[in-house]
Amino acid sequence: TTPERLTAALGQGAAAATPPTPQATRPVRPAGPAVSAGRRNLVRQAIHLLVHYPQAATEVQIPPSLADNTRPGIPLLIELLEELQRQPCANQGVLLERWRHRPDIGHLTKLARLECLIPDAAAAAREIAGAVGQLASEGAIRRREELLHKHSREGRLSEAEKAELQRLLGAAT
């Protein structure tokens, strides 16, 4: 047969021709929750870091255009940042205790169980600030496009919308 001839031609023994058992090829999974080595979406990443380093929130500015981003989780991210800036807490346990009666506690608890690869609060603050900045930029772009579309479709904007569009166009350059 062809596999046997191929094995003989390559100089390998018959033992090498037998395929390994399925158990031998399955990866061994560690016990406990799965940890992704890759990066999550920015909203989830920022919330994950806030759960692990709630004290980092005091170092993060919340740009107004962050609220213009329509990604899922943005309202939770903003609420978490605002609350942690009003009432800082030193650790994850205090944060989870404060949120235990809120609907998002399941998400926060799940993120708390995941391994955090960021070594300290200062590094977490930098990562969160970068994610928030990027998300705010997305929100500003979306709002600018929305206003431009409204202007082209309806031919008019309110004075407040004109001022907002001018601000957004100025920020884009």
Side-chain angles (χ1 to χ4, degrees), residues 105-128:
I105 188 62
H107 300 298
L108 298 180
T109 302
K110 188 184 297 185
L111 291 172
R113 289 184 187 131
L114 294 176
E115 179 182 6
C116 184
L117 302 177
I118 302 297
D120 57 48
R126 288 189 299 274
E127 289 285 326
I128 295 165

Side-chain angles (χ1 to χ4, degrees), residues 29-42:
R29 295 183 193 264
V35 178
S36 171
R39 296 177 67 91
R40 296 176 199 69
N41 77 56
L42 287 176

Side-chain angles (χ1 to χ4, degrees), residues 63-71 74 78 135-144 146-147 164 167-168:
S65 59
L66 181 59
D68 293 331
N69 193 314
T70 57
R71 279 194 192 199
I74 291 288
I78 292 171
L135 291 164
S137 294
E138 286 178 10
I141 290 167
R142 187 200 62 74
R143 180 65 177 151
R144 185 181 71 224
E146 184 180 283
L147 290 170
E164 182 182 6
R167 179 183 57 81
L168 290 169

Side-chain angles (χ1 to χ4, degrees), residues 34-80:
V35 178
S36 171
R39 296 177 67 91
R40 296 176 199 69
N41 77 56
L42 287 176
V43 178
R44 184 177 166 107
Q45 179 184 347
I47 294 171
H48 177 247
L49 290 173
L50 284 169
V51 168
H52 282 272
Y53 296 104
Q55 65 275 30
T58 60
E59 305 297 318
V60 178
Q61 297 292 323
I62 307 170
S65 59
L66 181 59
D68 293 331
N69 193 314
T70 57
R71 279 194 192 199
I74 291 288
L76 174 60
L77 175 59
I78 292 171
E79 184 179 3
L80 202 52

Side-chain angles (χ1 to χ4, degrees), residues 65 68 136-137 139-152 157-173:
S65 59
D68 293 331
S137 294
I141 290 167
R142 187 200 62 74
R143 180 65 177 151
R144 185 181 71 224
E145 295 303 317
E146 184 180 283
L147 290 170
L148 288 170
H149 180 71
K150 181 179 179 182
H151 176 64
S152 69
L157 295 174
S158 70
E159 290 303 316
E161 289 172 328
K162 286 179 187 176
E164 182 182 6
L165 181 57
Q166 286 177 341
R167 179 183 57 81
L168 290 169
L169 290 171
T173 58

